[in-house]
Amino acid sequence: MPSESPLVTPDTQIRGLMGLLPARARPYALLARFDRPIGWWLLFWPCAWGLGLSGEVIRRWDLLLWFLLGAIAMRGAGCVYNDIIDRDLDAQVERTRNRPLASGAVSLKAAWFWLASLCLIGLAVLLQLKLFAAGVALGSLALVAAYPFMKRITWWPQAWLGLVFSWGALVAWAAVEGELSLPILLLYAGSIFWVIGYDTIYAVQDAEDDALVGIRSSARALGRNIKPGVAAFYLIAIALWAAAFWQIRPQWIVMAALAPAALHLLWQVITLKTGDGSDALTKFRSNRTAGFLMFCACATVGLAG
């Protein structure tokens, strides 16, 4: 007999503030994943890192708030777009079959309207940026549009997600520096590997269902080597972040700022249970803390530099 599937946490749950919304509004909030703030935290942190490393995080605290609003809105828009493209696949996967589009709670036409509404909020944030930074931000749209199709054509859609979710670092740096230079490119590259690592952990939840419906992922590609694979991605991320810090302040003492984030990522790898979907989700969500620790490191180095 086949082995019993690991515990899977449903992707759509009405809880907390979601339960206080009017019944007609709940499917739209769930479609944008407002019930799962971890997504917009993970989109926001690279923005905060870029601003922190620039040394302007205190003077331009207003940008930090605009980036937070933009992360919430655009992560929601990305989820709506992803569900529009994946609605048939979502219906075949245990964790996602209750998503509003897959279950029929929201119509396709209404989903497109909701997507446009969220994008208008993103536009309001875009208008707060200088022309060059706005152009950098718009450069991510092609990557965002292509992402839902990556799981159909590559075993590494997590790498594409890394390109998308790390883009805010470039935008934040461009907003204050007016250019893209080596420190932020190294920070951005490190963030890509961080995303590959944590999204591989996230993909552990769906590995069995993904195999049944033909969805590709880094978790499936790594097979039994998930822990060493994630460890390698995190190690590369830390090395690239260290190189970015060195560009700002070439002194060994700056590496101490990176230590808390590095130790947190090490903890994730050591304690990860690859056969337990619930533990994988817990470790994935803990990257909100990793992002905060990295923000503290970037702000410390940026202000000291």
Side-chain angles (χ1 to χ4, degrees), residues 266-280:
L266 177 63
W267 165 79
Q268 285 186 36
V269 173
I270 291 175
T271 61
L272 175 64
K273 301 175 183 177
T274 57
D276 185 343
S278 179
D279 181 71

Side-chain angles (χ1 to χ4, degrees), residues 43 46 161-170 188 191-195:
L43 186 60
L161 184 69
L163 296 174
V164 174
F165 261 56
S166 303
W167 199 266
L170 302 179
Y188 172 68
S191 181
I192 293 171
F193 283 95
W194 176 57
V195 175

Side-chain angles (χ1 to χ4, degrees), residues 1-6 208 212:
M1 294 181 64
S3 61
E4 189 173 303
S5 297
E208 291 189 11
L212 290 174

Side-chain angles (χ1 to χ4, degrees), residues 8 88-98 205-206 209-210 213 215:
V8 174
D88 294 331
L89 287 176
D90 285 344
Q92 303 176 60
V93 176
E94 181 181 355
R95 185 177 59 81
T96 60
R97 64 182 52 168
N98 290 324
Q205 301 174 90
D206 299 330
D209 281 345
D210 285 351
V213 300
I215 296 176

Side-chain angles (χ1 to χ4, degrees), residues 108-261:
L108 183 59
K109 182 178 180 180
W112 279 112
F113 182 81
W114 181 219
L115 172 61
S117 300
L118 290 167
C119 287
L120 286 177
I121 299 175
L123 177 61
V125 176
L126 190 71
L127 294 176
Q128 309 307 312
L129 304 176
K130 296 177 181 177
L131 184 60
F132 178 72
V136 172
L138 290 173
S140 69
L141 293 181
L143 297 174
V144 173
Y147 170 68
F149 302 99
M150 291 300 109
K151 66 187 71 174
R152 295 166 170 83
I153 63 176
T154 176
W155 285 97
W156 296 93
Q158 282 69 27
W160 199 269
L161 184 69
L163 296 174
V164 174
F165 261 56
S166 303
W167 199 266
L170 302 179
V171 177
W173 182 275
V176 294
E177 298 291 338
E179 62 177 4
L180 297 178
S181 51
L182 185 57
I184 196 58
L185 295 177
L186 290 168
L187 188 76
Y188 172 68
S191 181
I192 293 171
F193 283 95
W194 176 57
V195 175
I196 297 173
Y198 74 58
D199 205 49
T200 296
I201 294 175
Y202 185 78
V204 167
Q205 301 174 90
D206 299 330
E208 291 189 11
D209 281 345
D210 285 351
L212 290 174
V213 300
I215 296 176
R216 301 175 181 182
S217 73
S218 55
R220 288 189 62 206
L222 290 169
R224 296 180 179 180
N225 297 312
I226 289 174
K227 288 184 73 166
V230 171
F233 298 139
Y234 282 169
L235 183 61
I236 295 171
I238 292 167
L240 288 166
W241 291 337
F245 286 5
W246 191 264
Q247 293 295 316
I248 299 296
R249 188 176 179 185
Q251 297 176 347
W252 288 109
I253 190 63
V254 302
M255 300 304 143
L258 192 55

Side-chain angles (χ1 to χ4, degrees), residues 3-15:
S3 61
E4 189 173 303
S5 297
L7 179 63
V8 174
T9 302
D11 188 70
T12 299
Q13 297 176 303
I14 299 176
R15 58 188 179 183

